[in-house]
């Protein structure tokens, strides 16, 4: 639900996508699916370090509708206004000798990547339309939402073995190879396996997930979009991943998941100051995430909120992925009674904050942030939602 009270309705997105399909291709779509974006409550930049994360799936989704078509040529159109032109792409199904490769427009690389890595064969050609309510570049994983929606759509055309973890991994690989982002597994995992009324404590090494109930009616999760768009395809994300890998190698660990602060302090002379700070964030953030999940299970919201703020400060000072706009949003939220905690969420350099607060403090918190923030934020009052699913095309 947006702060103005408008429900972010999957049915409305589905209707818009179906109308666009009829305009572009004639006839009616035969298949419809959706996959959610996510908000990460805590555990940032730990997933590609084989650590712990605590995200939840959102009511914000990407919808894909379409049908099988003859031949080898696929056609996909997006009705999102915020993506780069052109809005429609055509490509042939991949073969062993002619795989799908990156190109322009950038949004189509996510689609082509999933088609390339899809685990079921032989895929038929298809024509489809995409629509999304997940803000682009907002740190709510519009990319994973798109990838998982495409994969779920392909499953309806040519079923794979139904392995949901393998599905998430295939979507992650699509982002690596075709979008050029060396992301961890968190976003795709929770988009596939999200559970209504629960956050998921995901172990990014074992790929085990523990549902953490989040149904207290006195509690609200408020997402604030700074509307400063970020892009993870630049050098910042990759450089931090490399810094973490270098730190792990110097510490003699396969990843920072196995490192302790004692290990790090003992090797301080072997690390430059920047690499040390990056590793310190990751090691402490993994521990914070474990503590936060336990606090949430107990209903210890003040403790959880304190860990959120510590996470934000670490991302700002040690990992250096925040920005002034996000810092203002967090500071403003924490100035009010009834707010337990707030932090930036997502890759950083823009995007959103996530705030845990008492339901009766929501209105005044939004008003206060609007007064303190010089930009034009967008607010979402949200709840943990289901993962990817097939949508009915009857009765709509």
């Amino acid at each position: 639900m947006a702060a103005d009270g408008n429900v972010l309705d999957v049915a409305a997105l589905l209707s818009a996508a179906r109308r666009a399909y009829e305009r572009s291709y004639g006839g009616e779509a035969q298949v419809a699916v959706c996959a959610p974006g996510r908000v990460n409550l805590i555990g940032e930049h730990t997933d590609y370090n084989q650590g712990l994360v605590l995200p939840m799936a959102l009511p914000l989704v990407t919808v894909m509708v379409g049908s099988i078509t003859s031949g080898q040529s696929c056609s996909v159109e997006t009705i999102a206004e915020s993506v780069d032109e052109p809005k429609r792409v055509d490509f042939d199904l991949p073969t062993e000798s002619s795989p799908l490769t990156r190109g322009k427009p950038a949004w189509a690389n996510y689609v082509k990547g999933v088609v390339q890595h899809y685990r079921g064969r032989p895929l038929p050609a298809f024509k489809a339309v995409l629509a999304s309510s997940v803000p682009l570049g907002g740190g709510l994983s519009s990319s994973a939402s798109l990838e998982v929606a495409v994969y779920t759509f392909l499953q309806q055309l040519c079923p794979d073995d139904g392995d949901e973890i393998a599905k998430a991994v295939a979507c992650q690989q699509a982002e690596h190879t075709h979008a050029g982002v060396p992301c961890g597994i968190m976003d795709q995992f929770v988009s596939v396996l999200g559970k209504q009324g629960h956050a998921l404590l995901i172990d990014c090494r074992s790929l085990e997930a523990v549902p953490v109930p989040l149904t207290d009616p006195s509690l609200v999760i408020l997402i604030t979009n700074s509307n400063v768009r970020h892009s993870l395809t630049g050098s910042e994300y990759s450089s931090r991943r490399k810094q973490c890998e270098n730190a792990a190698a110097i510490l003699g660990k396969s990843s920072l998941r196995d490192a302790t602060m004692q290990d790090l302090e003992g090797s301080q002379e072997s690390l430059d100051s920047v690499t040390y700070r990056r590793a310190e964030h990751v090691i402490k953030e993994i521990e914070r995430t474990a503590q936060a999940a336990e606090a949430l299970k107990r209903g210890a919201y003040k403790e959880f909120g304190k860990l959120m703020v510590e996470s934000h400060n670490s991302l700002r000072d040690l990992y250096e992925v925040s920005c002034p706009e996000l810092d203002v949003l967090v500071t403003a939220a924490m100035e009010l009674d009834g707010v337990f905690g707030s932090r930036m969420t997502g890759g950083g350099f823009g995007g959103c904050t996530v705030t845990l607060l008492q339901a009766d403090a929501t209105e005044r918190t939004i008003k206060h942030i609007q007064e303190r923030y010089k930009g034009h934020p967008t607010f979402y009052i949200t709840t943990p939602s289901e993962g990817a699913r097939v949508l009915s095309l009857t009765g709509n």
Side-chain angles (χ1 to χ4, degrees):
M1 178 176 290
D4 62 5
N6 293 324
V7 175
L8 296 166
D9 193 0
V10 175
L13 272 181
L14 176 58
S15 294
R18 293 177 73 181
R19 289 193 301 271
Y21 181 91
E22 290 171 14
R23 285 195 304 269
S24 295
Y25 303 114
E28 293 190 2
Q30 301 302 306
V31 173
V33 302
C34 73
R38 64 94 189 98
V39 66
N40 191 23
L41 300 175
I42 194 167
E44 218 66 74
H45 290 278
T46 54
D47 58 347
Y48 53 81
N49 289 289
Q50 298 187 3
L52 303 175
V53 292
L54 189 64
M56 67 180 213
L58 293 172
L60 302 160
V61 300
T62 298
V63 166
M64 188 170 189
V65 304
S67 306
I68 290 175
T69 189
S70 59
Q72 295 295 305
S73 181
C74 302
S75 180
V76 181
E77 177 181 323
T78 176
I79 59 175
E81 294 180 0
S82 54
V83 302
D84 50 342
E85 299 288 348
K87 303 289 189 184
R88 178 169 166 174
V89 293
D90 298 286
F91 56 88
D92 287 342
L93 290 168
T95 64
E96 195 168 324
S97 61
S98 183
L100 291 172
T101 57
R102 295 171 62 179
K104 292 185 178 182
W107 66 267
N109 289 327
Y110 298 95
V111 178
K112 291 190 286 186
V114 174
V115 173
Q116 181 65 49
H117 289 279
Y118 184 66
R119 301 172 65 252
R121 289 289 187 266
L123 266 178
F126 60 89
K127 48 191 177 182
V129 169
L130 292 159
S132 186
S133 57
V134 188
L136 192 67
L140 301 181
S141 203
S142 57
S143 57
S145 173
L146 171 56
E147 292 152 3
V148 174
V150 174
Y151 198 105
T152 306
F153 176 81
L154 298 180
Q155 285 178 305
Q156 313 316 305
L157 307 186
C158 175
D160 64 354
D161 60 8
D163 185 328
E164 291 188 314
I165 292 176
K167 173 180 177 177
V169 171
C171 291
Q172 178 197 28
Q173 289 303 308
E175 187 145 345
H176 287 188
T177 60
H178 285 68
V181 180
C183 62
I185 192 64
M186 171 179 65
D187 297 352
Q188 294 83 3
F189 194 106
V190 72
S191 187
V192 172
L193 291 153
K195 186 175 174 63
Q196 188 167 355
H198 295 75
L200 287 184
L201 178 65
I202 303 169
D203 184 324
C204 296
R205 179 164 57 189
S206 68
L207 297 184
E208 295 174 323
V210 178
V212 180
L214 195 53
T215 56
D216 187 336
S218 70
L219 200 65
V220 156
I221 297 159
L222 176 68
I223 297 170
T224 305
N225 191 346
S226 68
N227 287 313
V228 175
R229 279 181 57 174
H230 71 170
S231 171
L232 294 184
T233 55
S235 62
E236 296 285 4
Y237 186 94
S238 297
S239 69
R240 277 158 182 74
R241 182 163 184 158
K242 289 175 183 174
Q243 288 161 349
C244 292
E245 291 168 351
N246 291 341
I250 291 169
L251 296 177
K253 309 293 184 182
S254 61
S255 75
L256 289 177
R257 168 68 180 272
D258 297 315
T260 65
M261 280 305 298
Q262 186 175 1
D263 294 329
L264 185 62
E265 290 162 0
S267 300
Q268 187 165 4
E269 292 184 1
S270 302
L271 296 162
D272 64 79
S273 60
V274 173
T275 304
Y276 185 94
R277 291 198 303 272
R278 304 297 188 254
E280 181 180 354
H281 163 75
V282 171
I283 293 167
K284 290 182 176 179
E285 184 80 349
I286 292 171
E287 179 61 27
R288 271 192 292 268
T289 304
Q291 293 172 355
E294 290 303 315
L296 201 57
K297 290 176 187 176
R298 299 195 312 271
Y301 302 138
K302 287 184 179 179
E303 181 182 340
F304 187 93
K306 181 174 180 289
L307 292 164
M308 290 178 77
V309 174
E310 289 176 4
S311 171
H312 179 80
N313 292 344
S314 179
L315 289 159
R316 180 192 65 203
D317 300 334
L318 299 179
Y319 222 67
E320 299 180 279
V321 291
S322 187
C323 63
E325 293 87 352
L326 293 174
D327 296 340
V328 168
L329 291 174
V330 169
T331 299
M334 293 307 301
E335 288 170 344
L336 293 179
D337 292 336
V339 175
F340 296 114
S342 187
R343 59 182 290 276
M344 60 154 280
T345 186
F349 311 107
C352 295
T353 62
V354 58
T355 303
L356 191 75
L357 69 163
Q358 293 173 351
D360 59 10
T362 306
E363 189 175 336
R364 66 175 178 269
T365 301
I366 290 172
K367 183 178 179 183
H368 182 70
I369 291 172
Q370 287 173 324
E371 291 171 350
R372 291 272 278 106
Y373 184 61
K374 292 181 180 179
H376 299 283
T378 306
F379 299 92
Y380 304 97
I381 301 164
T382 191
T383 54
S385 300
E386 282 296 319
R389 54 201 184 272
V390 178
L391 300 175
S392 173
L393 287 170
T394 60
N396 288 309

